[in-house]
């Protein structure tokens, strides 16, 4: 198949419909698929691809946002103006989208400030690097109905995207998700699924495609490189008064989730602090690179790197303890987030207490080291939302009294199947081993937007509680007829029983009730619930918001992180010896898995801070292999990595739970950089902190 | 695996829990599995089975019901008394179950009769012979959850049976049904699924097993051989007054669906006629043969063979036209079925008119033939229910306005997917190609008892209409807010629109409504419905019913059949030249497929009447191959086979539809036998009418 098999009109995209299933007419980055071959064996397919003769006409490439925005730059999407967009993106030439927030009066803010700090920051592209590369398998029925198994984070987004990109009615495509070997954001939107489906339709046979590691590097998606200018005004006592942020994002060849990343990073640009006057602006730019997209943190690790390292600069300038500076400005319960929702639970102050105490923090961040090394503590804070959009759950009590929970939520290895099972088990007072969990299936699962935006525990958990509540109501209705009593006199008893309150031996089992329901109601007891955020729009008196492609959500998790970093002054190599990461997750449904998320987020953040970087040699990705692209191993992980759970239950959450999937990564690069800066006295503003870069800074410091 | 892998307590069975997944301790018939082996290749597995050394201790076999009921007969289930039973079966020794119906006063009936006719009839075992032999594939997840694909008629019965036979919680087993190559009743209850699941659990790997044709013959199930005594009292004018029936069923080694077959055949033993006094009694007996079970017609082809051939005997004795005799006694709309439900639609009289006219029927049934052949018309009538128990449907309107219909109903090739799609399309006024149909899945489909008892069009159709109705309500609720009008002012417009009545350009599409629902209600528009019969129990003033294992249902389809049969008097070979089969199906949702069902039922009935017979040589099935067991081919099919659709809509049916899956087979053997008897002057009372048997009767006639 080639682009000729795809209609020009059939373009997909989460926010801007700018992408065909396969390159059509124009190739926008090196690695973009131009042809696909299916064959009986991999060897035949490889041979066949070698016989393909592609004629390329070379076009000038634009490889940075600055080049792309320059006058007379080669335009990557000539028809961008006519593309369908889900919000007003402000697309012009290679400018893909722009977002702006204003709150208070920024000019007044500068006037009210005693001191103003301003600097530019830069972050690098990072690869998602799931252990399992992207892959898919499509089968086609004689009726033309297609079944698609694929590694993904949202079986429903796969369905929508494939149908959009191939012009298929959604009713003709069933999408399933088997076990997934991690996602981190790059399996939320499509990868090879449209290609595999089209090949199966053409071949009228099942087609399977698993990307090689190199292809997975080159053609899926990666974390956006950010260029961020941050300007902050403060009082001499450390009170934050004004914040201006200007962001330039390289989006790569297609918009994908990038407008969302831009918007969300700006929404988080004041951090968890009270800053009365703010103006945040950002631009997303098309370039001739692979698309960048959603990645754990969704723009916040980059933004936090800039804002939280500037906070330390301010603290040093004001001779304040960095923790005290933060504590002084923290948002409190009942405060309102940047332009939006009221916060009802905020355990960040407790998080700061915990890491301060655990780490033995003192204002003098420097710690004793060897002659050739320096060592210091660093701190950073961050916040993260607990979901977006909508999700459902179906709970069925089968004839033997066991339960099947079907949510459509993809467990990408983070353990949501376990957590949702626990929530259901607690709600119905049954042991967890009585509950089976259905895997996501567009034909049979309730709608679930996806495993993204740190939403599954909070949102799907809410749906599970709603569905379990409906089951409880139905169980009691049947039981009241079976026991000849009022529904109000009944209660769930442990182990799958409905009993008369205070009369322990008057009870009926779930199995007996379900058997009755089969006769009386035509099937097992079924509870269904769809949970939808009460999505407030921004109060225009409070803030101006232009180009935010999703509603604002007010349920936040918080993190305070302290790291103990050692810098080898002879090589520039930075190592994290110890780390204390306190997360306010509302309520830890499964504490061990919460700790696992905090640990995993830290180590992935460590890679982002110190070693990981996708490097382009001209237009070509130079290091698309595990030989050349390094991620942290046990060797690089801190000797002590202490996750600390703080529970500030949110009234809206299931049993008070908030999110934990992304919060643990957001502040890592900032805290490490603050520690390196404190240890060495340099001011690093560009990631990653490779030995070369740190050594360069140390040499510059020496020259000063 | 062997019986040692199965706990003694884990027995399955639709009515009596008498069967292990694999022979345990005792082997009850030749062909019963005693061990199963899974291996990487079929060759290894075959070799491994040859290494199994089974030590058998020979026990005396009982191979007929009479032998089994004899005093001191070897008992097949020593523990039968302790088995769990879903109704009072009256099990004693090898007597598996008994059923009895009484209506009116049989002694009074005999006194009121001018003449009494009495005879014994016998039918043979018939093989289901689906093109696809039974098979299953089970996979097991590291969590221990099992997915099972199998050829079946009810994904929910598979789940229940496998879990029962292996002691598995139902929540641990997901059952799926891919396309099925026909069922005819033998794939309703389990075949190899429990064995395959247990092998997969032991191997912790996927296991697939497809039976060979021989195994499929020997170890699944077949149509029951019946021995039937029928005694009928009539007035001289042909008015039926009294009917007594006594039935002896060979059930084989396990009860399976046999108690149901016995009960249902007795429920139909008065046929579609008014007979004020009746007493029907039947016994089901365990023997050392393979289990017999459900087969298209569910005992009615056998019962109809006896009762409808006796009716012709009566007609000849009274010198009446057989059609007139039947017409005189027909039940009418508003009459009550044998002990039970009121009939609200009955097109049998019209069916008789149609076949009488199409066939050129005259009282002199004999037709002109060649010197060595004789030829005559034969008639028979029958009825059949339209379902049992419960079924559900879920209709989803996706974001692009297309629709997925999920019912859990297995399409076994009869075309229910098409019919249910049509019902849904009509209900929502969209073209059929906008609707995709989900395949049955215990995790995602609504409960559906199964594709059996002629129930899918009627019952699942009712559920689809209910679910579509809920969708219509929800669509209108959204549309009323979108168009700012009252719900009552809205109507569905063709092509997936909801519009303001009388204002054609004020309409919103299903796609727009579904998109809105995603934001406002957390997912697509979903309608759910479970349809349950209003199941009346028998009025004890009207009738005595003992041992009927299911409630009575009052929605009947009817059939009148005339055949034109030629008998070669030199060989005894009978051939059907022409056939006219009129079926009252209420409303033919898909006329071509209704005709297909009538034709298919006829040809399968033709095999039953003339050629098909499973023959036991002692305890061993002697003809378990397609070489030795013959079914009709195009060669044997009538030159003219005219299905005639009669529509007497039932107020309860979807668009008035009733059943068609089984009605077409019930009267075939009876009509053919009546024609043979009329052509030759013999009185055949035993099936099949093989050349040998007919020639024997002709020779006897010659000797008389």
């Amino acid at each position: 198949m080639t682009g000729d098999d795809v209609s020009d009109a059939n373009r997909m995209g989460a926010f801007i419909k700018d992408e065909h299933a396969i390159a059509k007419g124009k190739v926008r980055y090196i690695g973009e698929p131009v042809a696909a071959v299916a064959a009986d064996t991999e060897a035949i397919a490889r041979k066949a691809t070698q016989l393909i003769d592609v004629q390329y006409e070379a076009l000038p490439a634009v490889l940075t946002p600055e080049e792309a925005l320059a006058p007379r730059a080669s335009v990557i999407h000539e028809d961008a103006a006519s593309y369908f967009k889900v919000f007003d993106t402000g697309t012009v030439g290679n400018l893909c989208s722009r977002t702006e927030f204003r709150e208070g009066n920024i000019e007044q803010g500068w006037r009210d400030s005693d001191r103003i700090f301003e600097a530019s920051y830069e972050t690098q592209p990072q690869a998602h690097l799931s252990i399992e590369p992207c892959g898919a398998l499509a089968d086609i029925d004689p009726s033309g109905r297609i079944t698609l198994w694929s590694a993904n984070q949202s079986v429903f987004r796969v369905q929508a995207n494939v149908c959009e990109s191939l012009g298929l009615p959604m009713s003709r495509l069933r999408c399933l998700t088997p076990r997934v070997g991690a996602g981190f954001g790059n399996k939320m939107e499509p990868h090879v699924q449209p290609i595999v489906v089209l090949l199966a339709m053409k071949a009228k046979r099942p087609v399977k495609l698993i990307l090689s590691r190199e292809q997975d590097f080159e053609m899926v998606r990666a974390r956006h490189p950010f260029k961020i200018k941050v300007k902050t005004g403060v009082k001499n006592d450390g009170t934050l008064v004004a914040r201006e942020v200007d962001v330039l994002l390289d989006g790569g060849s297609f918009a994908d989730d990038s407008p969302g990343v831009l918007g969300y990073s700006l929404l988080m640009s004041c951090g968890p602090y009270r800053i009365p006057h703010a103006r945040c602006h950002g631009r997303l730019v098309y370039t001739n690179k692979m698309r960048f997209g959603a990645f754990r943190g969704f723009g916040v690790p980059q933004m936090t790197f800039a804002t939280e390292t500037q906070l330390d600069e301010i603290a040093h300038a004001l001779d304040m303890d960095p923790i005290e500076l933060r504590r002084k400005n923290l948002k409190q319960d009942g405060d309102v987030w940047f332009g939006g929702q009221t916060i009802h639970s905020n355990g960040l102050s407790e998080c700061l207490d915990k890491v301060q105490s655990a780490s033995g923090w003192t204002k003098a961040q420097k710690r004793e080291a060897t002659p050739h090394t320096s060592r210091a503590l660093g701190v950073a804070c961050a916040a993260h939302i607990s979901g977006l959009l909508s999700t459902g759950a179906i709970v069925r009590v089968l004839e033997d009294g066991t339960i099947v929970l079907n949510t459509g939520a993809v467990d990408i290895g983070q353990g949501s199947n376990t957590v949702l099972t626990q929530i259901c088990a607690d709600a119905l007072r049954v042991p967890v081993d009585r509950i089976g969990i259905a895997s996501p299936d567009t034909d049979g699962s309730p709608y679930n937007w996806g495993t993204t935006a740190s939403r599954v525990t909070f949102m799907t958990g809410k749906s599970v509680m709603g569905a379990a509540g409906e089951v409880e109501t139905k169980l009691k209705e049947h039981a009241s007829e079976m026991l000849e009593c009022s529904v109000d006199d009944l209660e769930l008893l442990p182990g799958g029983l409905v009993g008369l309150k205070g009369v322990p031996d008057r009870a009926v089992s779930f199995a007996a009730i379900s058997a009755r329901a089969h006769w009386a109601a035509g099937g097992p007891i079924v509870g269904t619930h769809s949970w939808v955020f009460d999505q407030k729009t921004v109060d225009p008196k409070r803030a101006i918001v232009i180009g935010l492609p999703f509603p604002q959500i007010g349920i936040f998790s918080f993190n305070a992180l302290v790291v103990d970093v050692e810098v080898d002054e002879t090589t520039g190599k930075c190592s994290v010896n110890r780390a204390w990461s306190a997360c306010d997750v509302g309520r830890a449904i499964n504490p061990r898995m919460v700790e696992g998320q905090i640990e995993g987020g830290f180590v992935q953040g460590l890679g982002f801070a110190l070693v990981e970087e996708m490097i382009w040699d001209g237009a070509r990705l130079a290091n698309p292999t595990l030989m050349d692209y390094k991620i942290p191993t046990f060797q690089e992980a801190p000797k002590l990595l202490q996750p600390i759970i703080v529970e500030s239950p949110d009234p809206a959450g299931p049993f008070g739970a908030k999110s934990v999937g992304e919060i643990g990564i957001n502040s890592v690069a900032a805290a490490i950089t603050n520690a390196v800066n404190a240890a060495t006295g340099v001011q690093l503003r560009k990631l990653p902190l490779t030995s070369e870069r740190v050594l360069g800074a140390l040499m510059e410091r020496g020259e000063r």
Side-chain angles (χ1 to χ4, degrees), chain A:
Chain A
M1 67 170 279
T2 67
D4 289 348
D5 294 303
V6 177
S7 154
D8 189 51
N10 293 330
R11 278 180 272 100
M12 59 183 167
F15 297 102
I16 302 176
K17 308 294 179 200
D18 62 1
E19 190 170 355
H20 286 117
I22 187 165
K24 187 171 175 64
K26 184 170 180 176
V27 180
R28 291 182 171 85
Y29 69 92
I30 294 178
E32 187 175 6
V34 296
V37 172
D40 283 350
T41 68
E42 196 177 322
I44 297 173
R46 283 191 187 286
K47 199 135 202 177
T49 58
Q50 288 162 11
L51 299 175
I52 297 171
D53 180 22
V54 189
Q55 302 290 335
Y56 292 104
E57 175 197 344
L59 298 172
V62 286
L63 297 170
T64 66
E66 292 83 352
E67 280 174 47
L69 292 176
R72 286 178 299 281
S74 170
V75 175
I76 293 169
H77 289 272
E78 295 85 349
D79 301 327
S82 70
Y83 291 164
F84 177 81
K85 302 167 186 91
V86 303
F87 73 110
D88 182 5
T89 53
T91 309
V92 182
N94 288 328
L95 178 67
C96 178
S97 74
R98 59 177 294 278
T99 302
E100 186 175 347
F101 295 165
R102 275 177 274 158
E103 201 172 61
N105 179 331
I106 192 70
E107 298 309 328
Q108 186 62 43
W110 303 137
R111 284 192 292 272
D112 292 350
S113 299
D114 294 325
R115 298 187 60 175
I116 295 173
F117 296 81
E118 187 170 5
S120 293
Y121 304 85
E122 207 174 327
T123 67
Q124 80 284 19
Q126 181 185 19
H128 292 78
L129 217 73
S130 314
I131 290 302
E132 176 193 47
C134 289
L137 190 163
D139 193 10
I140 183 161
D141 185 88
S143 75
R145 197 158 197 259
I146 297 150
T147 304
L148 171 64
W149 294 258
S150 70
N152 65 69
Q153 297 176 225
S154 168
V155 74
F156 291 95
R157 285 297 299 160
V158 171
Q159 184 189 34
N161 281 312
V162 170
C163 290
E164 202 163 52
S165 67
L166 301 180
L168 275 177
M170 291 176 74
S171 58
R172 265 186 66 195
L173 181 68
R174 176 189 197 181
C175 296
L176 300 162
T177 311
R179 287 195 178 262
V180 176
F184 305 122
N186 72 340
K187 290 173 182 161
M188 179 68 189
E189 299 296 323
H191 39 83
V192 300
Q193 294 102 335
I195 290 175
V196 170
V197 168
L198 187 52
L199 285 172
M201 288 170 70
K202 293 194 79 166
K204 299 202 191 323
R205 291 178 62 180
V207 172
K208 183 172 88 166
L209 171 59
I210 310 279
L211 291 184
S212 68
R213 179 59 66 188
E214 289 71 15
Q215 289 169 326
D216 198 68
F217 261 109
E218 282 177 344
M219 66 165 274
V220 184
R221 48 182 66 80
R223 185 187 295 284
H224 294 85
F226 271 54
K227 289 175 180 165
I228 314 171
K229 284 186 199 152
V230 184
K231 184 176 169 187
T232 306
V234 290
K235 294 277 192 194
N236 281 328
D237 69 356
T239 305
L240 297 173
V241 179
R243 163 76 47 90
E244 188 163 10
V245 165
D246 193 66
V247 175
L248 191 61
L249 251 74
D250 184 347
S253 293
F254 302 103
D256 200 59
D257 278 333
S258 298
V261 173
L262 172 61
Y264 184 60
S265 69
L266 291 177
L267 193 62
M268 305 304 274
S269 63
C270 288
Y273 308 110
R274 293 172 163 168
I275 305 182
H277 306 289
R279 182 182 176 282
C280 303
H281 175 260
R283 288 168 298 164
L284 170 71
V285 185
Y286 285 125
T287 65
N288 287 118
K289 295 226 266 305
M290 66 185 288
R291 64 193 158 202
F292 297 99
F295 192 156
R296 197 180 202 172
F298 209 67
V300 181
Q302 298 100 310
M303 180 61 72
T304 302
F305 165 69
T307 56
E308 288 284 308
T309 58
Q310 188 167 80
L311 274 194
D312 266 35
E313 226 175 313
I314 294 169
H316 289 120
L318 299 180
D319 194 26
M320 282 184 78
D321 178 333
I323 289 187
E324 285 318 301
L325 173 66
R326 286 171 170 83
R327 206 191 296 278
K328 187 179 186 71
N329 292 285
L330 287 186
K331 281 188 192 287
Q332 304 297 333
D333 275 18
D335 276 4
V336 172
W337 201 264
F338 200 175
Q341 309 247 348
T342 305
I343 304 163
H344 294 292
S345 67
N346 183 345
L348 183 50
S349 177
E350 188 183 340
C351 291
L352 276 169
D353 291 347
K354 289 274 168 72
V355 293
Q356 185 164 21
S357 148
S359 65
W361 175 274
T362 53
K363 185 185 161 196
Q365 292 170 250
K366 280 197 85 145
R367 291 288 178 273
E368 198 182 324
T370 64
H372 296 291
T373 62
S374 56
R375 205 178 130 213
L377 301 183
V379 68
C381 295
H384 212 85
I385 55 169
S386 302
L388 263 182
L389 301 179
S390 60
T391 180
I394 300 173
V395 173
R396 285 171 220 241
V397 181
L398 307 182
E399 298 101 294
D400 64 352
T402 63
I403 292 162
V404 170
L405 174 61
N406 195 339
T407 67
V410 177
D411 187 332
I412 53 173
Q414 89 281 30
S416 58
N417 283 356
T418 304
V419 166
L420 297 174
T421 300
Q422 287 181 275
I423 291 172
C424 185
D426 261 32
L428 292 173
R429 305 192 71 183
V430 298
V432 288
D433 64 5
R434 197 172 290 194
I435 299 175
I437 196 144
S439 61
D441 177 348
T442 53
D443 272 359
S445 296
Y447 183 79
N448 194 309
W449 178 50
T451 300
T452 189
S454 290
R455 63 198 292 282
V456 179
T457 297
F458 184 88
M459 293 189 59
T460 311
K462 290 289 283 185
S463 296
V464 171
M465 290 195 72
E470 191 180 316
V471 162
E472 179 177 347
T473 301
K474 290 185 178 180
L475 287 169
K476 286 181 175 172
E477 282 165 7
H478 281 278
S480 77
E481 290 172 26
M482 295 165 82
L483 295 172
E484 295 178 344
C485 65
S486 155
V487 164
D488 299 332
D489 295 336
L490 292 168
E491 62 181 347
L492 295 184
L493 299 176
L497 294 166
V498 182
L500 207 56
K501 286 175 190 164
V503 191
D505 58 337
R506 290 275 289 161
V508 285
S509 70
F510 287 10
I513 297 171
S514 182
R516 183 181 196 267
H518 266 79
W519 288 91
I525 304 282
V526 182
T528 305
H529 190 80
S530 279
W531 196 76
V532 184
F533 266 111
D534 177 21
Q535 289 165 330
K536 297 196 183 69
T537 48
V538 175
D539 175 0
K541 279 186 295 229
R542 200 185 148 74
I544 304 293
V545 173
I546 298 164
L548 181 69
F550 43 74
Q552 293 188 49
I553 305 300
I555 319 292
F556 291 95
S557 286
F558 296 95
N559 169 233
L561 171 67
V562 170
V563 290
D564 171 2
V565 174
E566 189 172 287
V567 182
D568 183 328
E569 300 237 352
T570 58
T571 63
K573 182 171 198 263
C574 302
S575 315
V576 180
N577 290 325
R578 296 181 297 168
W580 302 267
S581 182
C583 288
D584 166 21
V585 298
R587 169 82 181 267
I589 304 276
N590 187 312
R592 188 63 204 93
M593 293 201 324
V594 165
E595 290 173 355
Q597 285 297 310
I598 297 172
E599 290 164 359
F602 181 87
V603 175
Q604 204 163 30
L606 180 74
F608 179 57
L610 298 183
V611 290
E612 295 185 48
E613 182 168 20
M614 295 169 78
I615 297 165
W616 270 261
D617 177 10
R620 186 180 297 275
L621 181 62
N623 57 345
T625 67
L626 286 171
M627 185 74 91
D628 295 319
Y629 184 97
K630 293 295 185 191
I631 57 171
T633 65
F634 272 103
Q635 190 81 2
E636 284 77 32
K639 280 169 217 55
L640 172 74
L641 169 46
Q642 188 178 336
I644 299 168
I645 295 172
V646 169
E647 292 184 318
S648 166
D650 196 280
F655 300 103
K658 302 188 287 192
S659 73
V660 68
E662 294 172 276
I663 182 66
I665 197 174
N666 288 345
S667 57
V668 180
I672 292 173
T673 306
N674 283 337
V676 172
N677 289 345
T680 60
V682 303
Q683 188 66 42
L684 293 157
R685 296 197 180 97
K686 189 171 180 183
L687 291 179
L689 306 186
T690 56
S691 300
E692 296 86 335
R693 180 164 291 132
V694 174
L695 192 61
L698 293 175
M699 288 164 71
E700 259 182 53
R701 174 196 63 179
E703 287 159 12
R704 274 203 305 267

